[in-house]
Amino acid sequence: MKKSYLIIISFILFNCKPNSISESKKKEIISELNSIKEIDQKYAGLPPKELIENYGNKKAWEIFEIRKDSVRLLNQGKIKKLYEEYGYLGYNKIGKEASHDFWISIQHADNDIQFQRKMLGELKKEMLKNNASKSQYALLEDRVNVNSGEKQRFGTQVTYNSYGQAIPKNGLIDSLNVEKLRKEFNLPTFREYYNEMTTNHFEMNMTNMLKRGVMEPKLYE
């Protein structure tokens, strides 16, 4: 009798996952992550037109950056709390779309490289189980490397030269094999990605580019 009791207890303990999520809680988490993503993306681009009109370009950017930092710190706090309670939120816990929303605030947590690095390790575990995105792993690995002053493997983090052409920030670890790596991790080709980033940068900064004599995006052949 005692032996049977111990077997039952062991079975229950083994099958009770400390970070399992009920359906009702799952809906709450997905809703919260969607809100976090929407706020994050609101500050991912340029300052709103009305802010520039009211304060001028330079001051508008200063205000925008302060607001962005404040919002992202708030989002990070929420993400850290979710991680502490449920672990890394991969596909099996909340689905692909919400898992992306969980990842995006980690990707933008540039003020906390230690946290980014820890999440990179957790993301790798999930990726190897096909429970998280390969491309998100590549983006976060490069982000951590760049934030640490190191070169990138995949070339996902860009800066721009004097012609407004996108180039890998801090350089590449292995430029000869970057295309193979990008394909393996479901990223677009180097040429496609860098020409898109170059074109976007030119269009966003067209007035300044034209003043500097750059009349069109300098694309990779």
Side-chain angles (χ1 to χ4, degrees):
M1 182 68 181
K2 185 176 180 180
K3 186 176 180 181
S4 298
Y5 178 76
L6 289 172
I7 291 172
I8 293 169
I9 293 297
S10 298
F11 178 81
I12 292 171
L13 290 173
F14 180 79
N15 286 279
C16 282
K17 298 176 182 178
N19 52 5
S20 60
I21 304 171
S22 67
E23 283 302 312
S24 60
K25 190 62 183 178
K26 181 178 175 181
K27 289 179 181 178
E28 287 180 27
I29 292 170
I30 290 172
S31 178
E32 181 180 13
L33 288 171
N34 184 59
S35 297
I36 288 171
K37 186 249 334 235
E38 287 182 355
I39 295 171
D40 178 275
Q41 293 304 291
K42 182 180 177 181
Y43 290 92
L46 299 171
K49 186 179 179 181
E50 59 270 20
L51 195 65
I52 295 174
E53 290 174 349
N54 290 337
Y55 295 97
N57 192 60
K58 184 178 179 181
K59 186 64 176 178
W61 268 105
E62 290 174 0
I63 295 169
F64 187 72
E65 288 297 323
I66 290 170
R67 290 178 182 175
K68 179 168 70 175
D69 289 344
S70 177
V71 162
R72 287 186 170 173
L73 279 172
L74 185 64
N75 281 348
Q76 287 169 39
K78 294 176 181 178
I79 293 297
K80 288 174 181 178
K81 186 176 179 182
L82 286 170
Y83 170 73
E84 287 170 5
E85 191 165 356
Y86 302 107
Y88 195 93
L89 293 173
Y91 301 159
N92 64 341
K93 292 179 181 176
I94 54 173
K96 287 189 177 182
E97 185 176 348
S99 183
H100 170 271
D101 296 347
F102 177 76
W103 163 84
I104 195 68
S105 285
I106 300 168
Q107 179 74 5
H108 291 157
D110 299 321
N111 62 296
D112 194 344
I113 303 172
Q114 186 176 355
F115 173 64
Q116 282 185 322
R117 194 179 296 279
K118 180 179 180 180
M119 291 300 97
L120 180 65
E122 295 300 309
L123 174 54
K124 184 175 184 178
K125 293 175 188 176
E126 299 305 318
M127 179 194 70
L128 293 174
K129 295 185 289 186
N130 295 317
N131 194 39
S133 165
K134 284 186 172 183
S135 60
Q136 287 171 17
Y137 176 83
L139 283 156
L140 184 56
E141 184 192 293
D142 277 354
R143 192 85 165 205
V144 168
N145 283 353
V146 167
N147 286 339
S148 303
E150 299 170 4
K151 292 183 178 182
Q152 309 175 56
R153 269 210 305 162
F154 304 95
T156 63
Q157 308 300 297
V158 307
T159 187
Y160 300 90
N161 62 23
S162 59
Y163 300 102
Q165 185 183 45
I167 57 175
K169 196 169 185 179
N170 293 1
L172 295 171
I173 293 172
D174 184 359
S175 58
L176 293 178
N177 290 304
V178 68
E179 290 291 17
K180 180 182 176 182
L181 271 172
R182 290 181 69 89
K183 184 177 181 180
E184 182 183 341
F185 282 76
N186 303 325
L187 295 167
T189 67
F190 183 94
R191 180 176 176 274
E192 288 171 339
Y193 180 67
Y194 274 73
N195 281 347
E196 180 183 356
M197 298 300 285
T198 298
T199 300
N200 290 344
H201 181 73
F202 179 84
E203 291 174 353
M204 289 169 63
N205 299 276
M206 187 178 295
T207 302
N208 187 40
M209 289 288 107
L210 294 175
K211 285 181 181 178
R212 290 161 56 186
V214 181
M215 310 309 292
E216 61 184 11
K218 186 174 178 60
L219 303 179
Y220 289 86
E221 298 296 332

